[in-house]
Amino acid sequence: MLTADTMAILLAANRVISLRPVDLAIIIIYFISVLGIGFYLKNYATTGEDFFVAGREMTAWVAGLAFISANLGSLELMGWAGNAYQYGILAAHWYWVGAIPAMLFLAIVMMPFYYISKTHSVPGYLELRYGHATSGLSAITFAVMTILMSGVNMFAMAVVLQTILGWNFDLSIWVSSITVGIYVALGGLYSAIFNEVVQFFLIWLGALLIPILGLIETGGWAGMVARIKQNFPGQDFTHLWAPMAHPSQNPMGVQWFAIVFGLGAVVSMGYWTTDFLVVQRVISAKDIRAAKSAPIIGAYFKMAVPFIVILPGLLGLAVLPFHLFPDNVVAAHAAQHLHSYDQVLPLMMARYLGPGLLGLGITALIAGFMSGMAGNVSAFATVWTYDIYRPFMKKNASDKHYVAMGRWCTIIGLIISIATAYIVLHFGSLMNYVQDLFSFFIAPLFGTVLIGMLWKRATKAAGFWGLLAGMGTSIALFALMSNDPRTIGWFCFYPKAQALAQAMWQALWAFIVLVVITVIVTLATQPRPDAELHGLVMGLTDVPSEGNLPVLKRPFFWAVICFIIFLILQWIFR
Amino acid sequence: MADDQTSGVQSTGVANAPKNRRGRMIPVWFFVGLLLLIYGILILITGIREWSHPPTTVLSNLHPTFWWSLLLIALGAIFTFTSYPKKRK
């Protein structure tokens, strides 16, 4: 993720790329297309079921590609390419161990409960399982954080477009927001999903040439590794697990335990299985097999994303004729016009892509920004309308009323996002806080949802107090480690642990506290009768068996193959 | 829950092409195909021009713009024609 410091540097930097008329034509055609799709889909988004869950009609492929695209935002692409330049292939952990097991777990273990309960959202599931209090806590924190994140991303987008292309900050914000506002307000989740599928193809086709041409230039993987060793003697950028035995052996300051259990078992599980932004795409699937298959399809593509994100970062180490630097170094030598880590992807684009192709690459970035914005506002509209407005403000209104509320929410959500973007422009450090806050609320939620699905004894009160304790722990640890660096050693078992490592330990401790509190409160309170938990909890839910399907049509079979490929990748790049 | 209060639409079993009182929805693949086809043609024209006036980018001697445009056109054509709305009755 890009930081406020990076943004300040980007604002002051010279632009990296100049566009030709053909590039601008490609960008303009994209804007016309998404608006056209929005107007076309308006006719189909008439009921709440259409507007908020896309009619539950998406195939596994459409839901799967939307699921992966919702996460394939431009900031992630640029930020992780920058991380790959800084930390080497270690950054791929966030795409492999930090995603694949969680996505497969969502598909096989959790998706049946989301789907069979016929919920429209993650807070909607918590409402059914734990009642108003837990659902309300989760819905309000999600709605607030999602809209703030949307504003932060909007700000980041405008800064990136200003830096790379020299575009006006205000114009970028208003043109993209109005476009997203129109197409989401018209077509609801249909529009968001359609545009995410379009974005998926644009990102791949816009970025794929960079690693291909990069590998041709370096003479393949071995040639690239040799050049990196020549450019950065004594440093290991191309091994995934070898430098993980002790935190002092790698630049992240993290060891394998934190990667496997902090990132793989808690942080990524929290994101991929309970962040409604991504889960909403899978809930829109047409049947339970499609709902289970969608995250598995997404997982295959997720495994391949390092090819267009991590590899360009590594190639940057090998072929760029100058070095990139951390933000503080770039800021300290402003007169020298140095480039920061996060600029590696645009720099590699400018290196290999001529007119036309560059327009496609830039359109891919713009599409990533805009569909990220659309994803945020469509998830916000659903959670606000169904999980806050309906239960707490206006029960039993007509379906038409809730759809109208959803459309207005989209517009209001965007206005709040725009306001947030301008506030961040004036108070840059807010950006980092918003990003941190989001992780406080998302990571602990996984524990509450998982216990709710797997343990029928867990009670309403336990769900609420466990979640509150988890969020509280996350916030308290963050405050402690930020204000007193000595505490980093206590909680992370390594005093020099970097921000990413701290975030993993923070999530791990929050999860442990959440589980302990949930279990203690459960044992002290009365369980709900089984009759109330049918379709919500393991053991009381009839999950259709896959046994009658041919092997090649069983989601479980494809999940196993996916996991084997994941293990092979870990072995190859160990 | 949403289902209880909404009429919903009847599932056709053909996802992303639900039936609706306004008719059957054009699948997303058609839009993807059309966009790739248009982009492919635009980039092809640029790629042909670049054959005589190569850009200053690294490896432009391999004419990546031209060859990539052919891939875009091929993918665009496949998606457009296999999901062309008139064929889906």
Side-chain angles (χ1 to χ4, degrees):
Chain A
M1 192 59 83
L2 304 187
T3 65
D5 290 342
T6 316
M7 291 299 145
I9 292 160
L10 288 176
L11 272 171
N14 287 343
R15 67 175 164 174
V16 175
I17 288 172
S18 297
L19 296 181
R20 303 288 174 84
V22 64
D23 301 317
L24 289 173
I26 287 173
I27 294 168
I28 291 167
I29 289 169
Y30 171 74
F31 275 87
I32 294 170
S33 304
V34 295
L35 283 174
I37 291 174
F39 276 102
Y40 172 72
L41 291 172
K42 177 179 181 292
N43 295 333
Y44 296 90
T46 50
T47 67
E49 192 78 347
D50 298 335
F51 191 84
F52 296 111
V53 280
R56 294 191 207 267
E57 284 281 349
M58 298 295 125
T59 55
W61 276 92
V62 174
L65 296 191
F67 173 74
I68 195 74
S69 281
N71 168 260
L72 206 58
S74 303
L75 293 180
E76 276 71 23
L77 295 183
M78 293 175 58
W80 283 106
N83 284 337
Y85 186 97
Q86 186 178 2
Y87 300 118
I89 202 172
L90 293 186
H93 280 307
W94 272 256
Y95 287 86
W96 289 340
V97 73
I100 305 306
M103 292 166 91
L104 299 179
F105 189 78
L106 169 69
I108 300 302
V109 179
M110 296 175 78
M111 209 54 232
F113 301 105
Y114 280 135
Y115 201 83
I116 291 168
S117 69
K118 285 286 171 200
T119 182
H120 48 264
S121 70
V122 175
Y125 175 80
L126 294 175
E127 161 83 35
L128 298 169
R129 177 64 185 84
Y130 293 112
H132 272 342
T134 314
S135 167
L137 177 63
S138 135
I140 290 167
T141 49
F142 177 83
V144 171
M145 295 318 304
T146 297
I147 221 62
L148 289 180
M149 278 297 283
S150 172
V152 165
N153 289 342
M154 200 182 276
F155 164 78
M157 172 200 70
V159 172
V160 168
L161 294 181
Q162 183 171 347
T163 320
I164 302 176
L165 306 168
W167 286 1
N168 179 278
F169 182 91
D170 301 310
L171 191 74
S172 296
I173 287 207
W174 287 98
V175 169
S176 59
S177 307
I178 290 171
T179 311
V180 167
I182 291 173
Y183 81 68
V184 177
L186 290 172
L189 190 61
Y190 276 131
S191 273
I193 288 181
F194 268 47
N195 282 296
E196 278 156 7
V197 175
V198 170
Q199 174 220 343
F200 174 86
F201 285 93
L202 291 179
I203 294 241
W204 276 94
L205 291 167
L208 196 57
L209 257 182
I210 298 170
I212 293 174
L213 291 173
L215 287 176
I216 292 173
E217 185 186 357
T218 56
W221 176 265
M224 181 192 79
V225 173
R227 283 210 201 185
I228 293 176
K229 280 186 178 157
Q230 194 183 337
N231 291 347
F232 299 88
Q235 295 182 57
D236 183 359
F237 284 101
T238 49
H239 286 98
L240 202 53
W241 290 103
M244 281 281 146
H246 191 271
S248 62
Q249 293 171 354
N250 63 76
M252 273 185 191
V254 68
Q255 73 271 54
W256 68 270
F257 181 84
I259 288 285
V260 173
F261 293 99
L263 177 64
V266 177
V267 175
S268 73
M269 288 286 177
Y271 176 75
W272 287 103
T273 67
T274 55
D275 185 342
F276 180 51
L277 180 63
V278 287
V279 173
Q280 186 179 28
R281 274 78 196 134
V282 195
I283 286 177
S284 73
K286 69 188 172 91
D287 56 35
I288 190 162
R289 189 163 74 86
K292 286 168 81 174
S293 302
I296 298 170
I297 291 169
Y300 279 94
F301 286 107
K302 184 74 179 174
M303 269 197 297
V305 172
F307 193 70
I308 54 168
V309 175
I310 307 299
L311 195 48
L314 296 176
L315 286 162
L317 291 164
V319 301
L320 285 178
F322 45 82
H323 285 193
L324 307 183
F325 296 95
D327 298 339
N328 55 352
V329 175
V330 178
H333 301 84
Q336 295 177 30
H337 297 304
L338 303 175
H339 291 288
S340 68
Y341 295 138
D342 289 325
Q343 289 184 315
V344 67
L345 196 60
L347 286 168
M348 295 298 280
M349 271 186 180
R351 182 180 180 82
Y352 294 120
L353 307 183
L357 290 179
L358 201 51
L360 190 63
I362 295 299
T363 304
L365 286 183
I366 294 173
F369 279 125
M370 289 188 19
S371 66
M373 223 186 277
N376 279 325
V377 291
S378 61
F380 168 77
T382 307
V383 167
W384 169 266
T385 307
Y386 277 166
D387 298 309
I388 299 174
Y389 181 72
R390 191 167 72 181
F392 296 108
M393 294 180 197
K394 186 154 185 164
K395 288 179 186 167
N396 305 322
S398 68
D399 183 54
K400 206 174 166 186
H401 176 83
Y402 292 125
V403 175
M405 173 53 71
R407 292 194 205 276
W408 279 110
C409 273
T410 306
I411 306 294
I412 292 166
L414 275 171
I415 292 171
I416 301 171
S417 300
I418 293 170
T420 309
Y422 279 100
I423 292 171
V424 173
L425 178 64
H426 294 288
F427 304 97
S429 57
L430 273 179
M431 179 171 169
N432 299 351
Y433 285 115
V434 170
Q435 288 171 348
D436 292 329
L437 272 173
F438 193 71
S439 67
F440 299 160
F441 296 122
I442 275 297
L445 193 58
F446 168 62
T448 305
V449 175
L450 186 69
I451 293 173
M453 287 178 174
L454 300 185
W455 193 33
K456 68 175 185 177
R457 176 73 173 79
T459 62
K460 285 185 176 182
F464 177 76
W465 291 109
L467 184 58
L468 197 62
M471 289 178 178
T473 306
S474 219
I475 295 168
L477 285 187
F478 176 78
L480 272 174
M481 290 194 284
S482 304
N483 291 318
D484 184 357
R486 282 177 309 164
T487 56
I488 294 172
W490 304 348
F491 297 112
C492 305
F493 305 106
Y494 182 60
K496 292 177 186 168
Q498 298 297 300
L500 287 171
Q502 289 177 35
M504 277 184 285
W505 282 108
Q506 188 182 303
L508 195 54
W509 286 118
F511 180 81
I512 291 167
V513 169
L514 180 146
V515 172
V516 170
I517 298 292
T518 307
V519 170
I520 290 172
V521 177
T522 291
L523 296 177
T525 45
Q526 283 297 315
R528 291 176 73 181
D530 284 1
E532 291 181 9
L533 296 172
H534 280 294
L536 300 171
V537 188
M538 187 174 275
L540 297 172
T541 304
D542 293 326
V543 179
S545 162
E546 295 176 11
N548 56 336
L549 294 168
V551 171
L552 292 180
K553 288 192 172 181
R554 290 182 199 173
F556 187 74
F557 168 77
W558 291 107
V560 170
I561 299 289
C562 184
F563 196 72
I564 292 171
I565 296 173
F566 158 74
L567 291 177
I568 292 171
L569 284 170
Q570 306 309 300
W571 177 255
I572 291 173
F573 294 103
R574 66 191 182 282
Chain B
M1 292 198 315
D3 309 23
D4 305 329
Q5 301 189 6
T6 60
S7 57
V9 285
Q10 289 294 307
S11 171
T12 60
V14 182
N16 73 354
K19 273 184 185 164
N20 188 291
R21 44 204 157 281
R22 308 258 178 171
R24 194 185 285 273
M25 189 186 286
I26 298 174
V28 64
W29 311 117
F30 179 74
F31 295 107
V32 171
L34 210 54
L35 194 62
L36 295 185
L37 203 53
I38 295 169
Y39 282 169
I41 292 166
L42 271 176
I43 294 173
L44 175 69
I45 296 167
T46 315
I48 292 170
R49 280 191 62 239
E50 282 179 3
W51 213 281
S52 51
H53 303 88
T56 53
T57 50
V58 175
L59 295 180
S60 61
N61 57 317
L62 298 178
H63 307 292
T65 310
F66 177 81
W67 297 113
W68 205 247
S69 73
L70 296 187
L71 176 74
L72 291 173
I73 290 172
L75 281 176
I78 291 169
F79 279 126
T80 307
F81 292 114
T82 54
S83 59
Y84 194 69
K86 281 183 183 171
K87 286 186 178 175
R88 303 180 69 88
K89 288 183 179 171

